[in-house]
Amino acid sequence: MAELVQEYLDQIRAEHLGNTGGALADYIPELARVDPSALGLSLSLADGYIYESGDFTTEFTIQSVSKPFTYALALDRIGQQAVDAKIGVEPSGEAFNEISVDKATDRPKNPMINAGAIAAVSLIPGTSADDRFAQLHEFYSAFAGRRLGVDHDVYASEKATGSRNRAIAYMLQSFGVLDGDPEEILDVYFRQCAIKVTSTDLARMAATLARGGVEPRSGRRVTSAAVVQRTLSVMVTCGMYDAAGDWVSAVGMPAKSGVGGGITAVLPGQLGIGVYSPLLDDKGHSVRGVEVCRSMSASLGLHFLSVTRESRSTIRAAYDARPGVRVYELHGDLLFAGTEQVLRNIEREYDDFDVAILEVSRVDDIDATARRMLAGMREFLNVAGREGLLVDPDDTLRVAGVPNSTARVFGTLDDALLAAESAVAARRNSDG
Ligand code: GLU
């Protein structure tokens, strides 16, 4: 049944594939040479299960999607107080490469603009550029759960042409924000921008943030929950630069984009999204990346301010009530991520039962996405030669306008069990 979610992803990708608006970044030749039509989309659930669509194996440079991770590393290594002394957390409302500091404090306004990102590099304790980069490289790789590569051509080009970033670094030095040699710090910053990722890496990195700093597949803690909380806060307010307000309203997920065409978005506690599409709008965001995130948020109900409720531990109990009859008791609120878990559990186990009874009388609230997914599950079970029965005394699952054609709905578990017994008996008779 994972294919139900897979179909959503493929459908969303297909909807946006025809949008060829925007332009490739061309401030260095390497970025202008990539395939403009590429569109990769990856979704990692909080348990590390991944859905992927399109060009999800294409590697591209992380660019500014690196900024939250370097900020997190600085917080991890020297603590929030020391970082706050050098970098603010206020949205700048300015372009990413603005040569500016906060007038009142002389600090970069936040770590998501270049000034703040370069300052964040300088805060990583290290003996040399190589040492700092090695720590950063390892930290990003731990978030992704694999060793990431570096695009040496992009790094060399960034370094050869980075006058504006140089201007920013020397300005920061003059304000006393940068300790250390600006050229050495810039060298690390250029290298960090040239780290190679896929949309799946970005989804996995986002999922590690969604899990409060634990990489889902290994269960390894990469950084503390406090570091993640601060990092996500800054992504909410400043991640999308001067488009942050629009982004939070329409998409509602902490996110970061980069001129390589990547966007990473986090739904705390639930999932991480990675998108790759290199055609950019005039603010430097991936045109289709933004559109895909908007669609996913709207159609899967992912806005973080609508997900204030319990939505993960939705299977309260699962047990074999009779031979061939498995009961799944759900509770809490059913939203996308929780429903996805339910579907995957049932899919994993459907070889072991003839009839599944879904007991939803303890479900408090359910959104339209979850209803559609559960309707799809009933069909899936029928196609697989199984039967799905529903205990739904309050009609929680009824989709307006869609009759419960394939499901049989019961007011109590006992009634459903009686029906399940006769269904199993009928199946066994016809088999034997
Ligand atoms: N390497 C680019 C710069 O620092 C990254 C910009 C971005 O991705 O927004 O200018």
Side-chain angles (χ1 to χ4, degrees):
M1 256 165 295
E3 59 253 42
L4 290 174
V5 176
Q6 184 65 45
E7 276 166 25
Y8 275 122
L9 225 59
D10 293 340
Q11 201 181 318
I12 284 172
R13 181 176 180 271
E15 271 166 27
H16 296 286
L17 204 54
N19 181 355
T20 54
L24 294 174
D26 58 3
Y27 70 93
I28 53 173
E30 290 76 12
L31 293 181
R33 274 202 291 267
V34 304
D35 172 10
S37 68
L39 179 54
L41 173 55
S42 306
L43 172 70
S44 169
L45 275 299
D47 63 358
Y49 191 86
I50 194 102
Y51 294 96
E52 305 168 303
S53 184
D55 302 287
F56 57 86
T57 58
T58 304
E59 289 195 310
F60 54 93
T61 50
I62 190 167
Q63 297 293 348
S64 285
V65 184
S66 62
K67 289 169 177 167
F69 298 98
T70 293
Y71 181 59
L73 179 58
L75 290 167
D76 185 275
R77 296 294 140 92
I78 66 168
Q80 189 172 310
Q81 216 181 346
V83 173
D84 285 350
K86 299 282 184 181
I87 309 169
V89 290
E90 294 304 327
S92 70
E94 291 167 348
F96 68 94
N97 56 3
E98 199 61 33
I99 305 178
S100 70
V101 289
D102 188 292
K103 286 195 179 63
T105 63
D106 286 350
R107 296 173 308 178
K109 287 187 184 134
N110 69 67
M112 301 293 122
I113 53 172
N114 288 15
I118 292 167
V121 169
S122 77
L123 297 178
I124 301 166
T127 49
S128 64
D130 283 347
D131 178 26
R132 282 202 173 106
F133 181 72
Q135 293 180 54
L136 184 153
H137 192 183
E138 197 182 313
F139 195 66
Y140 290 21
S141 297
F143 268 89
R146 77 166 181 116
R147 179 85 180 155
L148 301 171
V150 178
D151 187 322
H152 296 283
D153 294 337
V154 168
Y155 160 55
S157 280
E158 295 272 359
K159 194 168 168 131
T161 61
S163 309
R164 198 173 174 97
N165 285 322
R166 250 180 213 100
I168 291 172
Y170 282 95
M171 170 199 69
L172 292 177
Q173 187 189 36
S174 78
F175 280 108
V177 174
L178 278 200
D179 297 327
D181 174 8
E183 290 300 332
E184 211 177 286
I185 291 158
L186 285 163
D187 182 67
V188 179
Y189 175 72
F190 294 136
R191 271 197 262 179
Q192 96 173 34
C193 288
I195 286 181
K196 289 190 287 188
V197 289
T198 63
S199 63
T200 293
D201 291 321
L202 292 185
R204 291 199 187 285
M205 293 168 91
T208 302
L209 289 172
R211 281 282 302 272
V214 172
E215 199 276 308
R217 287 177 302 165
S218 63
R220 194 183 141 206
R221 179 162 289 286
V222 182
T223 188
S224 71
V227 165
V228 170
Q229 183 182 319
R230 168 54 86 89
T231 304
L232 289 175
S233 306
V234 179
M235 287 168 79
V236 170
T237 50
C238 317
M240 298 304 276
Y241 305 133
D242 35 5
D246 183 41
W247 178 268
V248 172
S249 312
V251 180
M253 280 182 265
K256 189 70 201 80
S257 77
V259 294
I263 296 186
T264 193
V266 181
L267 186 55
Q270 300 193 42
L271 52 87
I273 292 172
V275 192
Y276 169 58
S277 174
L279 291 170
L280 309 179
D281 64 20
D282 53 3
K283 290 173 172 161
H285 304 304
S286 165
V287 173
R288 291 188 297 193
V290 168
E291 290 306 317
V292 162
C293 289
R294 277 177 182 258
S295 291
M296 287 187 65
S297 175
S299 67
L300 300 179
L302 304 182
H303 197 292
F304 72 146
L305 296 180
S306 70
V307 188
T308 51
R309 303 159 297 184
E310 178 73 69
S311 48
R312 282 221 294 146
S313 54
T314 38
I315 296 187
R316 183 172 168 271
Y319 54 90
D320 291 321
R322 304 276 187 280
V325 181
R326 198 157 174 76
V327 176
Y328 294 90
E329 286 181 10
L330 310 189
H331 71 155
D333 293 320
L334 275 184
L335 309 174
F336 168 74
T339 311
E340 191 274 345
Q341 290 274 320
V342 172
L343 295 193
R344 229 169 344 118
N345 268 292
I346 297 180
E347 178 175 30
R348 212 168 25 234
E349 295 173 356
Y350 82 79
D351 275 344
D352 305 336
F353 60 73
D354 298 302
V355 180
I357 298 179
L358 212 56
E359 217 291 39
V360 299
S361 54
R362 287 190 186 81
V363 169
D364 300 318
D365 197 8
I366 176 162
D367 73 357
T369 304
R371 276 201 189 90
R372 284 198 310 270
M373 289 169 77
L374 290 174
M377 181 194 80
R378 297 197 298 266
E379 274 155 38
F380 176 91
L381 285 177
N382 286 353
V383 171
R386 304 286 184 278
E387 193 161 353
L389 305 184
L390 206 56
V391 180
D392 186 11
D394 304 321
D395 256 354
T396 322
L397 284 199
R398 186 182 298 284
V399 182
V402 180
N404 264 322
S405 52
T406 53
R408 294 164 61 197
V409 187
F410 299 88
T412 67
L413 181 58
D414 285 342
D415 289 347
L417 281 170
L418 278 177
E421 277 170 20
S422 38
V424 171
R427 288 173 60 100
R428 305 248 152 125
N429 282 340
S430 68
D431 288 351

